[in-house]
């Protein structure tokens, strides 16, 4: 496995894709260690001075006015971790936990958190050994950081709780031995530095960003195939149309549709004497809708990349002056709003795809056999597959309701406005799965439409997509169990086979 030197504050989206997959052994670039050591020394000096500093020698939250004696500081940090480990629900998946470990290590290594070098090295050791803390997915409101999930992550460093190794759940103490580690005793502020922060909500949102990119790419390519299946026009994708509006995502997406449809024999067959003047919006307005979704994905990518590189615990230690300043970088509002906008993009991508399925099965709009099957009536064809797509699109509409607008005060009103970022991010992966399955159904329908136009052929890139599907799923000559076909098409899209066709549009696929 390749060695990867993390440069805290300088991570890129393409690097984060690799970190999520666990494709490298991580270490911190040596140039960052002096700041870490100076920051830890500043905390030690603050302890010696005995001046009140939040979370170093005081209680937490509403108890910040309670002074803690120096000989109780280690116990203070241990109690903090144990008392905050109140998470519930299903555990976060391994990929997300890997990314949380990497993000937390990178944030602490910025040298503004006052933790010792060995603490960061333990986080990296767990990542490198594949020893992944079992972290419940529910219990964070996204302010004061992702306290509950990060507390469960931190328990593993102490030899408490459970971890997963290659999917096997074992006691954390055993997991530490597997990684060649001993349970840690936390120094002043270290428990607080580990628990404060937005790394869980950020990791969930970044993982969903990558899924959203892949689903978006699949929908663009499949939407182009639907244009040919319905014998639609490529005139609405003309660059002059896009230039007059000036929306960047719209212009970029329209260029991809032109590229995908270029050379289509189906399109050439109806350029002259086609009585239709305009196509339905689900075909004609793809650049406008998908371009707007792309702009949201790009904006979310920028916000989440900044957050991935940020220092988000509290208080912050400024080693140059020795000051310890309490602030609010743990408030995850940027993550919550980015996740909420991603939810809109994911839902709209699926909603437009569902409308194209409806168009393709409607003979009055598509010009194809009713429900895309020969002998309709005897066969129902894609009738019920569209119903499944409609059900998934409707589910996404409910899930797309913004989480960030719902704040419930906590900690006796000390934490009187919270972001709900963790749920905002956590609900995105199920939304991506819903939309990918809608697009999978559209891919089956569009390919069926293309089959009806034989011997005319679509463009070369879309022919390759059609062939890839037909290697997995035969054309529908008569009714059969379509659930199997939908699952096969879904697996094909999940393999990211279509993403490279539009990779130049996507934030994490662009060369850095």
């Amino acid at each position: 496995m390749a060695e990867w030197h993390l440069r805290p504050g300088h991570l890129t989206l393409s690097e984060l894709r690799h970190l999520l997959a666990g494709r490298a052994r991580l270490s911190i670039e040596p140039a960052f260690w002096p700041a870490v050591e100076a920051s830890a020394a500043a905390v030690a000096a603050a302890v010696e001075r005995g001046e009140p500093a939040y979370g170093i020698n005081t209680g937490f939250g509403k108890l910040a006015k309670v002074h803690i004696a120096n000989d109780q500081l280690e116990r203070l940090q241990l109690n903090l971790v144990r008392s905050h480990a109140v998470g519930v629900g299903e555990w976060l998946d391994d990929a997300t936990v890997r990314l949380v470990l990497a993000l937390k290590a990178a944030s602490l290594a910025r040298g503004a958190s006052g933790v010792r070098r060995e603490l960061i090295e333990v986080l990296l050791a767990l990542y490198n050994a594949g020893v992944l803390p079992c972290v419940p997915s529910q219990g964070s409101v996204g302010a004061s950081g992702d306290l509950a999930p990060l507390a469960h992550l931190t328990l593993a460093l102490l030899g408490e709780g459970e971890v997963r190794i290659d999917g096997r759940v074992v006691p954390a103490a055993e997991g530490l031995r597997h990684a060649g580690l001993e349970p840690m005793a936390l120094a002043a502020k270290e428990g607080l530095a580990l628990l404060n922060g937005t790394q869980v909500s950020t990791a969930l949102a970044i993982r969903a960003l990558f899924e959203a990119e892949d689903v978006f790419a699949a929908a663009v390519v499949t939407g182009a195939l639907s244009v040919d299946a319905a014998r639609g026009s490529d005139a609405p994708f003309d660059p002059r149309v896009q230039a007059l509006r000036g929306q960047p995502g719209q212009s970029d997406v329209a260029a991809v549709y032109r590229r995908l449809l270029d050379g289509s024999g189906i399109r050439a067959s109806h350029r002259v004497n086609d009585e239709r003047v305009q196509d339905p919006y689900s075909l004609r307005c793809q650049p406008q809708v998908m371009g707007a979704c792309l702009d949201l994905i790009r904006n979310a990518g920028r916000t989440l990349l900044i957050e991935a590189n940020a220092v988000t615990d509290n208080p912050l230690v400024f080693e140059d002056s020795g000051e310890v300043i309490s602030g609010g970088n743990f408030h995850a509002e940027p993550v919550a709003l980015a996740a909420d906008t991603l939810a809109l993009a994911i839902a709209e991508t699926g909603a437009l795809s569902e409308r194209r399925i409806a168009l393709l099965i409607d003979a009055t709009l598509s010009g194809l056999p009713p429900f895309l099957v020969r002998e309709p009536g005897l066969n129902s064809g894609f009738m019920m597959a569209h119903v499944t797509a409609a059900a998934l699109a409707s589910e996404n509409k409910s899930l797309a309701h913004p989480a960030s607008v719902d704040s419930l005060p906590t900690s006796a009103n000390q934490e009187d406005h919270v972001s709900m970022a963790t749920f905002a991010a956590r609900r995105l992966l199920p939304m991506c799965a819903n939309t990918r399955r809608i697009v999978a159904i559209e891919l089956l329908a569009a390919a069926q439409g293309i089959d009806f136009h034989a011997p005319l052929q679509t463009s070369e890139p879309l022919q390759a997509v059609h062939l890839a599907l037909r290697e997995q799923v035969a054309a529908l000559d008569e009714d059969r169990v379509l659930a199997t076909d939908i699952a096969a098409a879904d697996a094909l899209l999940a393999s990211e086979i279509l993403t490279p066709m539009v990779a130049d549009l996507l934030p994490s696929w662009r060369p850095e």
Side-chain angles (χ1 to χ4, degrees), residues 470-482:
R470 284 290 170 256
E471 288 175 347
Q472 304 295 322
V473 179
L476 185 68
D477 294 323
E478 60 181 5
D479 282 346
R480 61 173 182 255
V481 177
L482 280 180

Side-chain angles (χ1 to χ4, degrees), residues 384-385 388 440-441 444 473 480-491:
M384 292 308 298
T388 296
I441 293 169
L444 293 168
V473 179
R480 61 173 182 255
V481 177
L482 280 180
T484 305
D485 296 2
I486 295 169
D490 182 38

Side-chain angles (χ1 to χ4, degrees), residues 190-227:
E190 288 183 338
L192 187 61
L194 287 163
L195 269 58
N196 269 182
T198 65
Q199 285 76 34
V200 172
S201 52
T202 301
L204 285 165
I206 286 173
R207 182 160 188 216
L209 170 72
F210 299 153
E211 291 282 341
E213 288 181 330
D214 295 333
V215 170
F216 173 88
V220 169
V221 175
T222 301
L225 194 67
S226 289
V227 170

